[in-house]
Amino acid sequence: AFPRARLDDRIAVAVPDAAFRDALLARRPFPAFETKTAAEASARLPGVSDDGSKEWLLVDTVDHLDGLERLVVVCCGLDKKIDDAAPDTAARRSTLYRAVTRAHLM
């Protein structure tokens, strides 16, 4: 529909921690895309593409996405049931909230 519109810097995949991110990327789930960390994506100039190669997705931990927003954020690995009696309930809710609120669109 929009042949010249690229997804670069518009989509992020938020994951709970570095171990989850590394395991996810080891399976190469996004073969049509190059993946970038939040630091790599933030170091690029807006609107400037590489050499016209693959589009890229930002894939990083929720902690690394703090303060950053993208048009669309996919939360991956954050769907465990939250047990109100568990000692880490507040931390889990905070992580999920921080991940979801990185998106411009919900």
Side-chain angles (χ1 to χ4, degrees), residues 25-105:
L25 294 177
R27 295 186 321 191
R28 307 190 61 73
F30 313 109
F33 297 92
E34 182 179 342
T35 58
K36 303 271 187 198
T37 65
E40 292 169 334
S42 295
R44 299 171 55 99
L45 294 173
V48 177
S49 63
D50 286 346
D51 55 6
S53 60
K54 287 184 174 181
E55 292 182 287
W56 54 273
L57 297 175
L58 190 163
V59 180
D60 214 336
T61 65
V62 174
D63 289 339
H64 289 146
L65 294 174
D66 272 348
L68 303 176
E69 291 183 339
R70 293 298 182 267
L71 185 64
V72 176
V73 175
V74 176
C75 298
C76 187
L78 299 170
D79 57 345
K80 290 183 183 176
K81 182 178 178 183
I82 297 177
D83 178 6
D84 288 333
D88 66 344
T89 297
R92 285 175 152 248
R93 287 182 187 211
S94 172
T95 300
L96 182 58
Y97 175 81
R98 289 175 16 236
V100 170
T101 57
R102 300 303 91 211
H104 288 283
L105 301 174

Side-chain angles (χ1 to χ4, degrees), residues 20-29:
F20 189 97
R21 180 193 60 216
D22 295 343
L24 175 68
L25 294 177
R27 295 186 321 191
R28 307 190 61 73

